[in-house]
Amino acid sequence: MNQNNRWRPNPNFFSNLAVVIIGISFYLAMSNLDLVRQAINGVLGVLSPFVGGFVIAYLLDGPVRFFEEKFSMKRGLSIAVSYLLAIALFSVLLSFVLPQVVQSVMVLGNNLNAYLQSLNTFVAEVSTRFHLDEELIEGMMLSYTDLMKQATDLLRSFMPQLLDYSMAVGSGLVSALTAFIASVYMLMGKQRLLGQMRKVIYAFLPMKKARRMLTVCSNANRVFNGFIYGKLIDSAIIGVLCFVLMSLFKMPFALLISVVVGVTNVIPFFGPFIGAIPSVMILLMVDPIVAIEFGVLILILQQFDGNILGPKILGDSTGLSAIWVLVAIIVGGGLFGFVGMVIGVPTFAVLYSLTSDMLARRLKAKGIDKNGDPLPQEPAAGENSATEENTPGPVRP
């Protein structure tokens, strides 16, 4: 048999085969999403201390760099100061905020029947005065009462566990200690780890693609860093403002509601609504008039956040329009819950930037700009020479 007639793969065979395999794998993963999620959760369960350490290190990297740059501290000292401040803040939250929140929930649960009876009386008076459909109002009140009782019973059974520090510390001591040690090592050896990652990328990728990969990673870090830090600061300010304003107007459960508003404000777009709805429902039982006043207050507060505070802190850190932010939140929340709703926006922003750059390069190669219009044709070299020859010279006297 002639050796030259042997089948040889096409140069694009392996790349096409890889695309087919990736496509089939993606289809199988989407078809068995629950199994994939369980497998991912299992792996993350084993790696959770190191994942936690990475999260801690990533969140504290900003303060560490701040102390290094602004106060010229050495790396070890800036890490120590950052950890001390983080531990102090966490201790304040555990010793002051958490017990107050638990106490508010317990008071709400103990007085639930009295609150609901007062609300029923108020609703009955309003329906009689305005001649509303009594059967419809009664059905709505039954549903609302049942919902609030279930939610309050759930919170009352869960909240005491938060104060049982011995159980929490005993069950997660090893994981917490491992995450703490891992985060310290990551912060101390940040430059070394980044150097090792760059070596791996340069070793396994062509130079042009390696540089492109490092640029993408740098941009992704910038987007995530700006968005996460900005959202945390923005949500903390909104929570404090909510507590101060509710305290000034002597509204009940100010700390509990402010914590709910601040935590849910981390979620882009839907956060204000997610936090306002349960807060209004709580105040509605206590005093419907106060609930209306709180609704107006939270509306003003969120307008301030959306139009003044948020843009001032976040700027245009993602570069996404409102529709893509909405898509990122829905998809991220559907796949990964609360965490997905928070990190979905910066993740989608990075993917959107990569897709936009790829499309821009392909369009430019075809003579089309990013808006879909033809690029202006550059004159050829021969045309430039001919034009220069036919152009009359300066008129001499």
Side-chain angles (χ1 to χ4, degrees):
M1 184 177 179
N2 191 353
Q3 298 271 332
N4 296 328
N5 293 332
R6 226 171 20 171
W7 177 80
R8 294 180 180 178
N10 188 282
N12 297 326
F13 172 78
F14 291 106
S15 60
N16 294 334
L17 180 62
V19 171
V20 172
I21 293 175
I22 292 173
I24 295 174
S25 302
F26 181 77
Y27 171 76
L28 292 175
M30 291 296 101
S31 302
N32 302 275
L33 193 58
D34 292 336
L35 295 177
V36 174
R37 189 178 299 170
Q38 290 177 5
I40 293 174
N41 290 335
V43 174
L44 291 179
V46 176
L47 300 177
S48 59
F50 302 99
V51 174
F54 174 78
V55 172
I56 295 172
Y58 191 82
L59 291 177
L60 292 182
D61 181 59
V64 170
R65 286 188 285 107
F66 173 79
F67 289 120
E68 282 183 329
E69 296 171 1
K70 298 296 183 180
F71 298 98
S72 300
M73 291 184 180
K74 293 185 177 181
R75 185 76 177 175
L77 181 59
S78 61
I79 291 174
V81 173
S82 300
Y83 269 101
L84 288 175
L85 290 177
I87 293 172
L89 178 61
F90 189 69
S91 301
V92 169
L93 291 176
L94 286 181
S95 61
F96 175 71
V97 177
L98 186 59
Q100 294 294 325
V101 170
V102 174
Q103 182 181 1
S104 298
V105 173
M106 301 304 291
V107 170
L108 179 63
N110 294 333
N111 298 326
L112 181 64
N113 292 328
Y115 291 150
L116 290 174
Q117 185 176 359
S118 176
L119 178 62
N120 286 329
T121 303
F122 176 80
V123 171
E125 293 177 357
V126 172
S127 61
T128 303
R129 179 177 302 179
F130 294 98
H131 306 288
L132 302 177
D133 189 349
E134 295 184 0
E135 294 183 358
L136 177 62
I137 297 298
E138 184 178 355
M140 293 174 59
M141 287 302 302
L142 288 175
S143 300
Y144 174 79
T145 301
D146 184 58
L147 176 64
M148 293 307 299
K149 284 184 176 180
Q150 291 181 8
T152 306
D153 291 341
L154 180 63
L155 288 174
R156 289 178 65 185
S157 63
F158 176 72
M159 282 297 174
Q161 299 177 9
L162 294 178
L163 296 179
D164 193 356
Y165 299 124
S166 59
M167 179 185 300
V169 172
S171 61
L173 179 61
V174 176
S175 297
L177 185 61
T178 305
F180 174 79
I181 295 174
S183 66
V184 173
Y185 275 114
M186 290 177 187
L187 286 173
M188 289 294 295
K190 174 187 172 182
Q191 298 302 326
R192 185 177 180 182
L193 290 173
L194 292 177
Q196 292 172 347
M197 290 177 61
R198 282 194 291 267
K199 290 179 183 178
V200 172
I201 293 174
Y202 279 125
F204 288 95
L205 292 177
M207 187 61 67
K208 185 176 180 181
K209 291 185 178 180
R211 290 173 179 170
R212 174 65 180 164
M213 182 71 175
L214 292 175
T215 302
V216 169
C217 293
S218 177
N219 292 335
N221 178 64
R222 177 184 55 80
V223 172
F224 271 86
N225 205 293
F227 181 83
I228 292 175
Y229 277 107
K231 257 305 177 183
L232 290 176
I233 295 173
D234 175 72
S235 300
I237 294 175
I238 291 298
V240 172
L241 283 177
C242 182
F243 175 73
V244 171
L245 292 175
M246 290 187 69
S247 300
L248 288 177
F249 290 104
K250 301 186 184 306
M251 295 183 180
F253 303 113
L255 185 59
L256 172 63
I257 292 175
S258 299
V259 170
V260 172
V261 170
V263 171
T264 56
N265 195 73
V266 176
I267 301 173
F269 198 83
F270 290 115
F273 302 101
I274 296 175
I277 291 174
S279 302
V280 170
M281 293 178 68
I282 292 173
L283 292 176
L284 192 61
M285 294 186 303
V286 181
D287 190 341
I289 303 300
V290 174
I292 296 173
E293 293 175 350
F294 172 78
V296 175
L297 173 65
I298 204 68
L299 180 63
I300 296 173
L301 193 60
Q302 294 302 334
Q303 288 296 315
F304 165 74
D305 181 31
N307 297 315
I308 300 176
L309 182 63
K312 186 70 175 178
I313 295 177
L314 290 171
D316 192 18
S317 59
T318 61
L320 293 177
S321 60
I323 182 63
W324 293 122
V325 171
L326 182 61
V327 170
I329 294 171
I330 293 176
V331 174
L335 293 176
F336 303 105
F338 179 82
V339 176
M341 296 179 76
V342 175
I343 68 173
V345 173
T347 303
F348 195 88
V350 174
L351 297 176
Y352 183 86
S353 176
L354 292 174
T355 305
S356 299
D357 292 344
M358 182 187 68
L359 291 176
R361 289 195 303 270
R362 289 182 173 271
L363 290 173
K364 185 177 181 181
K366 296 183 178 181
I368 301 174
D369 64 9
K370 62 181 181 179
N371 298 321
D373 299 324
L375 289 170
Q377 296 293 330
E378 296 182 359
E383 295 179 1
N384 287 338
S385 300
T387 304
E388 291 174 0
E389 291 177 0
N390 296 329
T391 302
V395 180
R396 296 181 180 177

